[in-house]
Amino acid sequence: MAATQPAQNEGTRALAAVMHGAFFALLAASLARFLIRHPGEARTPWIIALSVTLALLYVLGPALGAAPTLRRLCWLGLVIATWVVLVLLAPSFAWCAVPLFYTALRTLPPRAAIVLVALLTTLVVIAQLQLAGGPFDPNLLLAPPAVAALATAVFLHMERQAERQRALIDDLIRTRRELAATERREGTLAERQRLSMEIHDTLAQNLSSQQMLLQAADRTWDTDPATARRHVRTANEIAARGLAEARRLVHDLAPPGLDGGGSLPDALRALDAGPEVTVRFHLEGTPVPLPERARAALLRIAQGALANVREHSGARTAALTLSFLGDQVVLDVADDGRGLAAPDPARPADPADPTRGHGLPAMRARVSQLGGTLTVESTAGEGTVLSASIPLEPRP
């Protein structure tokens, strides 16, 4: 679109250059014809002076621009008046009117320009009939109006086409701006969703773990001080990780478990689900380098799944299994808890229910952004298995 406007301007300049050249060529030819046909006449100095004046006036035109300003209209009036006097003195200057058609059409509104072109054409016909001087020639009567009509029709058609193109360009520019604004809004919403998932998967779950540990420490403070202190130390460690997560969110860094180039298996092996759940990690297949987004997503999914195990399942053990299967990497999180309860059809879901979290929707969103799938299999009383599969790009 940016290249269209310069191309149009270049085409307009080329047409103007052709018309200006044609005007001066016709003016010079008309003057030469008069000097050859009428040598030594008394009107010759006037013809030469008017020809020079018309040429000088015509040269001033481009400096005044094409807009119908008062100066431009006065200039057009002087050019037409000088040409009319020339034609009355020497009819051979009549064909200089053709470039003047173009000048009038560029300067005046269409209706006014058509009227002026018709008047100039009438004068051209009269001048041609006067030059002929012999028997009536129908060609002299019909040719000038035909040329004028053709030139006018072509010019007006080109102007309408140019106006349509300008309108189309304006529409395209406006549409592009609207699309850019829409993309910015969508980007803002996507970033808000990403931050919401990050906060849920990190800060909120760390705070929940700390709360459970501190509650457990409070219950056993008098009866089992050693266990209580262990819970407090674990809560302190979780708080330290939460602080690191908060700093990462501020600086938009990679997940702390992957900082410094740490591997995903090591980060998963370090996860826990609180003091009441034993977490085991298994690695299957040969690990391959993963994209940063995939590593972060799988770590976040594992954290979210273990948080659900800790808070909702009542499980005693959980197993993390990371499998490298060549064309994909799969993370399985299995527990021996009570399983997911079937939804009650008589009780519609309440989005404002504080017990409803972002866990599974956030996991699905993360996997979907990477072109993967998330499945959850659960049987009441037999635990739950969550499986996240992310495709890998084929290695050369």
Side-chain angles (χ1 to χ4, degrees):
M1 291 186 293
T4 304
Q5 192 64 32
Q8 290 180 344
N9 293 337
E10 184 177 351
T12 301
R13 288 193 294 268
L15 178 60
V18 171
M19 288 298 175
H20 296 334
F23 174 80
F24 287 111
L26 290 172
L27 182 63
S30 300
L31 179 60
R33 181 181 187 279
F34 175 82
L35 294 178
I36 293 172
R37 295 290 184 90
H38 309 281
E41 286 195 8
R43 55 180 173 165
T44 299
W46 289 101
I47 297 297
I48 295 175
L50 287 171
S51 298
V52 173
T53 301
L54 182 59
L56 292 175
L57 285 173
Y58 197 88
V59 168
L60 292 176
L64 300 177
T69 60
L70 180 60
R71 289 194 304 172
R72 176 79 177 180
L73 295 176
C74 292
W75 167 83
L76 179 62
L78 288 175
V79 170
I80 297 299
T82 304
W83 174 79
V84 168
V85 174
L86 264 175
V87 173
L88 293 177
L89 292 176
S92 59
F93 286 86
W95 283 109
C96 291
V98 175
L100 294 181
F101 293 165
Y102 171 76
T103 302
L105 289 168
R106 286 195 65 197
T107 304
L108 299 175
R111 292 186 179 180
I114 291 174
V115 172
L116 180 59
V117 168
L119 294 175
L120 296 180
T121 304
T122 301
L123 186 58
V124 170
V125 171
I126 294 173
Q128 292 301 305
L129 292 176
Q130 184 178 352
L131 279 176
F136 174 72
D137 186 352
N139 189 52
L140 298 178
L141 181 63
L142 299 177
V147 172
L150 179 62
T152 302
V154 169
F155 180 85
L156 293 179
H157 175 72
M158 291 174 60
E159 283 293 298
R160 283 194 294 268
Q161 290 294 105
E163 184 62 30
R164 292 193 188 99
Q165 289 182 356
R166 285 191 291 268
L168 178 59
I169 291 172
D170 291 341
D171 289 341
L172 291 176
I173 292 175
R174 183 170 58 255
T175 302
R176 184 174 64 180
R177 290 174 179 170
E178 292 174 355
L179 288 175
T182 300
E183 290 176 356
R184 284 194 296 270
R185 287 193 298 269
E186 291 179 350
T188 300
L189 292 175
E191 182 64 12
R192 290 176 62 183
Q193 182 184 16
R194 185 188 70 82
L195 289 176
S196 173
M197 292 188 298
E198 291 283 348
I199 292 172
H200 172 269
D201 291 345
T202 57
L203 300 181
Q205 293 180 6
N206 285 338
L207 290 173
S208 176
S209 298
Q210 294 172 53
Q211 182 185 34
M212 293 181 65
L213 288 166
L214 292 175
Q215 288 173 349
D218 182 63
R219 288 194 301 268
T220 60
W221 192 267
D222 295 329
T223 59
D224 191 354
T227 301
R229 282 192 294 270
R230 187 171 65 252
H231 290 339
V232 171
R233 284 194 299 270
T234 305
N236 184 60
E237 294 172 358
I238 293 175
R241 291 201 297 269
L243 179 60
E245 292 287 356
R247 288 172 177 167
R248 187 195 63 78
L249 287 175
V250 172
H251 297 287
D252 197 25
L253 300 176
L258 301 176
D259 283 350
S263 68
L264 178 60
D266 291 340
L268 293 175
R269 191 175 287 109
L271 296 179
D272 64 73
E276 298 179 357
V277 181
T278 301
V279 179
R280 297 185 178 90
F281 173 74
H282 306 281
L283 177 63
E284 297 183 359
T286 303
V288 297
L290 297 176
E292 185 63 31
R293 290 182 61 197
R295 296 165 63 207
L298 290 173
L299 178 58
R300 291 293 180 238
I301 290 170
Q303 289 175 327
L306 290 179
N308 289 340
V309 170
R310 180 183 62 246
E311 297 175 11
H312 306 299
S313 72
R316 302 300 298 174
T317 61
L320 293 176
T321 303
L322 182 65
S323 304
F324 290 89
L325 305 179
D327 61 344
Q328 61 180 339
V329 58
V330 180
L331 173 66
D332 296 313
V333 183
D335 66 73
D336 59 357
R338 66 176 66 95
L340 296 178
D344 184 359
R347 180 185 178 188
D350 182 7
D353 185 351
T355 64
R356 291 171 54 84
H358 295 272
L360 285 177
M363 296 179 200
R364 294 189 190 279
R366 289 183 186 278
V367 174
S368 176
Q369 290 171 1
L370 295 171
T373 58
L374 180 77
T375 59
V376 179
E377 298 178 1
S378 181
T379 303
E382 297 183 9
T384 302
V385 178
L386 178 145
S387 180
S389 174
I390 296 177
L392 300 178
E393 295 183 0
R395 304 185 70 185

